[in-house]
Amino acid sequence: MIIKKHLILAALCILIPAHALCWSGKAITGPNNDTITVERDSEQITIRLYGIKTPELSQAYANQTNETIASLVIGRQIAVNEVTIDEHGQPAALVYISGQILNKHLIQEGYALVDTKNCKENFCNTWISIEAFSRLQGRGMWADKD
């Protein structure tokens, strides 16, 4: 089972930008908006979900977003692809869970926006289209027409 997880992580890292650092760990806390704490080799690392913005805790859908993230990752092994370091010195990463990119999933379900200021990878344009479709479908925070 461990070998299978490492093979999957290796495959994901091949498909990711060359400057990225890939590793796996267990999601132990979070989310706090768009951050998750991951345990890796007995070290706790807080990562920011790259390329997205989630509702602030005082905004509508913040609780639903946090509950969605928690239900998908807490207590589970995840693959982390560090894309960059954010303005707070934290790794900003793509998070893979069960072969799916969590960041993209949150956009699809209407629980996150593309951070157009900081999302600089080629896939960010695709994410913008996914966000527009999510809005048209009335998913998540787009269910409210206001």
Side-chain angles (χ1 to χ4, degrees), residues 41-76:
D41 300 328
S42 301
E43 179 184 3
Q44 293 185 6
I45 303 167
T46 300
I47 60 165
R48 183 167 305 283
L49 295 171
Y50 175 79
I52 66 171
K53 290 183 179 181
T54 58
E56 296 296 326
L57 294 177
S58 62
Q59 294 177 319
Y61 289 93
N63 289 338
Q64 294 94 322
T65 300
N66 287 342
E67 289 169 7
T68 298
I69 297 170
S71 70
L72 292 170
V73 301
I74 300 304
R76 297 180 66 188

Side-chain angles (χ1 to χ4, degrees), residues 71-134:
S71 70
L72 292 170
V73 301
I74 300 304
R76 297 180 66 188
Q77 282 291 122
I78 62 173
V80 175
N81 168 13
E82 292 183 25
V83 178
T84 190
I85 301 297
D86 72 10
E87 64 275 8
H88 306 291
Q90 294 176 317
L94 298 175
V95 171
Y96 293 84
I97 186 84
S98 301
Q100 176 174 298
I101 302 171
L102 175 65
N103 318 47
K104 179 181 173 185
H105 176 75
L106 293 171
I107 295 167
Q108 288 172 321
E109 296 304 314
Y111 292 118
L113 305 170
V114 178
D115 181 358
T116 55
K117 178 182 172 194
N118 295 306
C119 196
K120 303 296 183 194
E121 300 297 325
N122 291 334
F123 56 77
C124 297
N125 289 328
T126 302
W127 285 9
I128 291 169
S129 297
I130 291 169
E131 179 185 315
F133 186 74
S134 175

